[in-house]
């Protein structure tokens, strides 16, 4: 009937009932007959499969003891060398963007 609670006994068909009555109840019976696999409980025996010591370096994490020790003069010399190496490239990129902006200005103005 409508509005009445359904018991579990009402959902499971008897062996004498034909499965043609309700396809849903047949699926529920089949699902209840299937036994679940037992989970295997993992027991840690303490042996090491793979050493995880070098993974910090692989992820890009550096430790303080691996850093390079530079004096103040050496540090400023390294900074000047970096500027001398990369400044011409940076100025070339800025010049190309400026030239492009100038060309676009004249093209869109006219």
């Amino acid at each position: 009937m409508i509005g009445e609670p359904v018991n579990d006994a009402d959902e499971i068909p008897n062996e004498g009932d034909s499965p043609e009555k309700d396809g849903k109840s047949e699926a529920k019976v089949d699902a209840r007959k299937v036994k679940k696999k037992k989970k295997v409980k993992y027991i840690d025996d303490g042996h090491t499969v793979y050493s995880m010591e070098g993974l910090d370096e692989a992820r890009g994490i550096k430790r303080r003891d691996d850093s390079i020790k530079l004096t103040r003069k050496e540090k400023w010399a390294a900074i000047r060398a970096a500027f001398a190496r990369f400044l011409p490239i940076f100025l070339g990129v800025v010049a190309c963007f400026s030239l492009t902006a100038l060309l676009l200005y004249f093209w869109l103005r006219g």
Side-chain angles (χ1 to χ4, degrees):
M1 304 284 172
I2 298 175
E4 291 183 5
V6 179
N7 295 329
D8 287 338
D10 293 339
E11 293 180 357
I12 302 172
N14 295 332
E15 291 179 14
D17 292 342
S18 65
E20 299 167 2
K21 282 185 178 178
D22 189 14
K24 293 179 185 176
S25 62
E26 181 182 353
K28 288 181 183 177
V29 171
D30 291 340
R32 289 183 182 176
K33 286 183 182 178
V34 176
K35 292 183 180 178
K36 292 183 179 179
K37 291 183 181 179
K38 291 184 180 180
K39 285 188 175 180
V40 178
K41 188 172 182 181
Y42 177 73
I43 300 171
D44 187 14
D45 58 356
H47 75 279
T48 302
V49 177
Y50 182 74
S51 175
M52 301 290 173
E53 288 182 15
L55 290 182
D56 286 343
E57 295 170 4
R59 290 189 335 201
I61 299 173
K62 284 193 172 185
R63 298 186 181 167
R64 293 236 180 230
D65 57 356
D66 292 340
S67 64
I68 299 172
K69 308 284 186 190
L70 295 176
T71 63
R72 182 175 289 169
K73 284 184 178 182
E74 291 172 337
K75 184 171 98 173
W76 283 108
I79 291 172
R80 279 194 301 272
F83 273 116
R85 171 70 175 100
F86 294 111
L87 191 61
I89 297 170
F90 176 71
L91 291 176
V93 170
V94 169
C96 287
F97 276 115
S98 301
L99 181 64
T100 304
L102 189 64
L103 290 173
L104 282 174
Y105 172 75
F106 286 125
W107 179 45
L108 295 175
R109 192 180 114 190

